[in-house]
Amino acid sequence: MNIVLAASEAFPFCKTGGLADVVGALCQQFATRKGNKVLLFLPHYRNIVRVSSLKVVPGVYLIPVGDRIEQVSLSYINWGNVLVFFVGSRKYFDRPELYRTKNGEYPDNDERFILFNRAVLEGCKFIGFRPDIIHCHDWQTGLIPAYLKTVYKLDAFYTRTRSLYTIHNIAYQGHYPYSSFKKAGFHPVDYTPDKFEYYGGISFLKSGIVFADNINTVSPNYAREVQTDPAMGFGLEGLLRYRSKNFCGIVNGIDTEVWDPEIDPVLPIGYDVSESVKGKLAAKLALQQQCKLSQEPDKPLIGIVSRLDYQKGLDIVVNLIERLKGRVQFVVLGMGDPMLEKAYQSLARNNPACVSYNGRLDEDLAHRIYAGSDMFLMPSRFEPCGLSQLIAMKYGSLPIVSKVGGLVDTVRGYREGNEETATGFFIDTFNENGIYATIEKALCVFNDRQVWTRLVKNAMRQDLSWDKSAQAYLELYRNTIV
């Protein structure tokens, strides 16, 4: 197949969250299978990394945005068997951050991604690559399926091209006013509730759901939730039920070359399942030292690597740390809500022996937290799939998670008698006392070293690679282009 992936970020080039990890891993998975030609399109942000050997496609091409014509350039790099194309526009992408500053989102994000969506389609024509399928990710690329079914409907270049649209988080919808619909160049006849119209404006995400040939999200349970629960569907549950025959869930995996405690270069010693006790002890002592916590190898250590926001439930955790700080150590890595950042800074400042807060992106520290923590806390209000719990299990840190989304699909909750299969702990009641009770349960099991070691080994033995999921995507591709 000729495969194009279009996304607003992909690891290792640009990243703000799990979307980048998923897109980067899928590209490599598809490219390693014979018969596939894989192209990835990304905006050429200022902070693009690992692109010292960029090659420039000669010339420029033109993209309409509203009543203006913008010039776009393409540059590319060979990333293994994947050709990565960067859509260049200094006006729209040469900025300090990908989507926003501390003052909020860029006010012209609608124009930035209108241009990117059209630039992907015109870019394929510019380089002469006819895709069998274009795989679009999240709201930032939601207009591509819409363009294929409207503006490009009669374009012979795309006669056989189909689209798959993946929703990584339905809470982020790219909702803009009617003026953005006009800027995108769609015909007013299509501005109806069954197509583009959305509460008097346009939702890039809704557009992708309406027009894509097939749709998926990142876990089977999340696919069920967003169709049946208004609190999870964020207003689009009815549309997803309408399209249910073309909607499914495929759980994410992790890149087991990047996330492998046996060969991880930032750990004091590598370890596999058979050496998990020794390896995790060394990692824990090193983490305590780096984070200036008291050197207490027998004290349970809970790790958190996350955006600090409402979705992740970390507003509740502030009070929990106050209740547990004498018995448990916490290492928190994450940025987000300024008020939460201040709360965690205050906790760490007032409790330096047992609380460490790190408010900057630090990939190496993230690896060390997964390895050095005994438990990994994810009290999410909703979680489409989650990658952190997968990484934590790979490193032998037992996840404590809510019963939502992909957490249900990937963690096997402990209960008395299932020591041979359990890989973590489920929060039965989502409130402060419910999370506290689950942590207490985990602490009790932690004190039984034989059972705890059994659970750690269970977690580390899970197949968390992309192999099965990538194969499921390829099957979905084939079904889509039939």
Side-chain angles (χ1 to χ4, degrees):
M1 286 181 284
N2 284 354
I3 300 168
V4 166
L5 291 95
S8 58
E9 56 184 85
F11 181 82
F13 305 104
C14 47
K15 175 179 175 177
T16 65
L19 169 63
D21 295 307
V22 172
V23 174
L26 281 176
C27 287
Q28 291 297 326
Q29 285 286 327
F30 299 153
T32 59
R33 287 160 168 81
K34 290 183 179 180
N36 293 330
K37 295 181 180 178
V38 182
L39 271 59
L40 168 63
F41 280 84
L42 296 168
H44 196 162
Y45 303 113
R46 182 186 300 177
N47 63 348
I48 290 288
V49 295
R50 298 193 184 183
V51 289
S52 58
S53 56
L54 266 181
K55 300 175 183 178
V56 176
V57 178
V60 296
Y61 57 103
L62 305 178
I63 301 295
V65 180
D67 58 1
R68 303 184 312 281
I69 300 295
E70 302 289 346
Q71 285 192 352
V72 170
S73 62
L74 281 181
S75 50
Y76 68 96
I77 187 173
N78 290 90
W79 180 39
N81 293 322
V82 179
L83 269 177
V84 184
F85 284 87
F86 299 96
V87 173
S89 169
R90 287 182 178 271
K91 175 180 178 180
Y92 286 118
F93 301 128
D94 187 12
R95 302 183 183 183
E97 302 294 338
L98 273 60
Y99 313 119
R100 58 183 296 127
T101 66
K102 289 187 175 181
N103 297 321
E105 291 191 0
Y106 292 125
D108 61 348
N109 269 350
D110 59 338
E111 294 186 10
R112 298 174 76 220
F113 290 104
I114 287 170
L115 176 126
F116 178 65
N117 283 234
R118 287 290 291 267
V120 170
L121 293 168
E122 290 297 325
C124 289
K125 297 171 71 173
F126 191 60
I127 61 176
F129 185 83
R130 292 176 183 264
D132 295 308
I133 192 156
I134 303 180
H135 188 173
C136 309
H137 296 266
D138 264 357
W139 74 262
Q140 293 91 341
T141 58
L143 297 187
I144 291 177
Y147 280 128
L148 285 171
K149 291 290 178 67
T150 57
V151 176
Y152 291 81
K153 184 177 181 179
L154 300 179
D155 191 321
F157 190 86
Y158 286 112
T159 300
R160 297 184 177 181
T161 300
R162 300 294 180 264
S163 62
L164 173 66
Y165 188 50
T166 298
I167 303 168
H168 294 264
N169 191 334
I170 204 168
Y172 300 101
Q173 300 187 355
H175 191 189
Y176 295 102
Y178 177 70
S179 58
S180 299
F181 170 81
K182 294 193 292 184
K183 290 176 188 176
F186 298 111
H187 197 285
V189 73
D190 290 320
Y191 192 71
T192 56
D194 61 319
K195 294 182 180 178
F196 286 105
E197 192 275 332
Y198 192 62
Y199 294 99
I202 180 176
S203 161
F204 285 35
L205 185 102
K206 180 199 171 186
S207 301
I209 295 171
V210 168
F211 288 99
D213 294 294
N214 271 319
I215 315 150
N216 83 289
T217 191
V218 290
S219 71
N221 190 54
Y222 189 60
R224 290 187 290 269
E225 289 176 342
V226 296
Q227 292 180 81
T228 59
D229 186 347
M232 298 291 186
F234 286 86
L236 292 171
E237 58 276 4
L239 176 59
L240 289 169
R241 286 196 300 272
Y242 176 75
R243 296 226 56 196
S244 60
K245 290 183 179 179
N246 299 100
F247 182 45
C248 68
I250 300 175
V251 73
N252 286 334
I254 58 173
D255 187 334
T256 51
E257 292 184 4
V258 174
W259 300 104
D260 184 351
E262 191 171 8
I263 58 173
D264 196 324
V266 307
L267 302 186
I269 60 172
Y271 61 95
D272 59 8
V273 175
S274 64
E275 295 288 334
S276 60
V277 174
K278 178 181 177 182
K280 286 193 65 65
L281 176 59
K284 183 176 186 177
L285 292 171
L287 181 64
Q288 288 174 329
Q289 182 178 32
Q290 178 180 350
C291 295
K292 298 181 173 59
L293 302 175
S294 59
Q295 296 284 111
E296 298 182 70
D298 294 327
K299 178 167 284 190
L301 193 157
I302 295 178
I304 298 172
V305 179
S306 175
R307 292 194 319 275
L308 302 186
D309 63 25
Y310 178 82
Q311 173 197 341
K312 301 298 184 179
L314 296 179
D315 49 324
I316 300 176
V317 174
V318 173
N319 290 334
L320 286 173
I321 292 177
E322 285 285 1
R323 294 170 67 176
L324 291 161
K325 62 188 180 184
R327 301 161 49 209
V328 180
Q329 293 180 330
F330 287 85
V331 178
V332 181
L333 173 62
M335 303 168 61
D337 185 306
M339 295 301 293
L340 282 179
E341 288 184 6
K342 290 179 181 178
Y344 281 100
Q345 287 169 358
S346 177
L347 279 172
R349 184 171 54 251
N350 295 329
N351 305 279
C354 59
V355 181
S356 171
Y357 170 65
N358 307 271
R360 57 187 175 84
L361 296 177
D362 188 332
E363 284 287 332
D364 287 354
L365 179 57
H367 283 242
R368 294 182 180 118
I369 292 172
Y370 288 118
S373 59
D374 299 297
M375 306 160 205
F376 193 89
L377 184 58
M378 290 182 70
S380 305
R381 288 180 168 88
F382 61 95
E383 193 65 62
C385 179
L387 295 177
S388 291
Q389 83 280 10
L390 303 179
I391 300 167
M393 288 191 289
K394 180 70 175 177
Y395 281 66
S397 179
L398 299 186
I400 300 172
V401 300
S402 306
K403 282 186 174 179
V404 295
L407 302 178
V408 172
D409 291 316
T410 55
V411 177
R412 298 173 185 172
Y414 170 81
R415 62 181 185 278
E416 191 172 348
N418 75 339
E419 293 87 353
E420 296 302 312
T421 58
T423 62
F425 301 86
F426 279 124
I427 298 165
D428 291 319
T429 305
F430 186 82
N431 55 37
E432 182 181 327
N433 287 333
I435 300 170
Y436 180 83
T438 305
I439 293 175
E440 285 285 7
K441 178 181 178 180
L443 293 177
C444 288
V445 181
F446 180 78
N447 290 327
D448 186 335
R449 303 310 297 172
Q450 184 175 355
V451 173
W452 188 264
T453 301
R454 174 72 264 172
L455 300 188
V456 169
K457 292 180 184 296
N458 292 344
M460 293 184 68
R461 287 194 175 111
Q462 300 302 301
D463 181 3
L464 305 171
S465 72
W466 270 105
D467 290 346
K468 291 181 181 178
S469 298
Q471 191 58 43
Y473 271 107
L474 289 172
E475 287 298 321
L476 185 53
Y477 285 2
R478 294 186 187 100
N479 293 336
T480 303
I481 66 178
V482 168

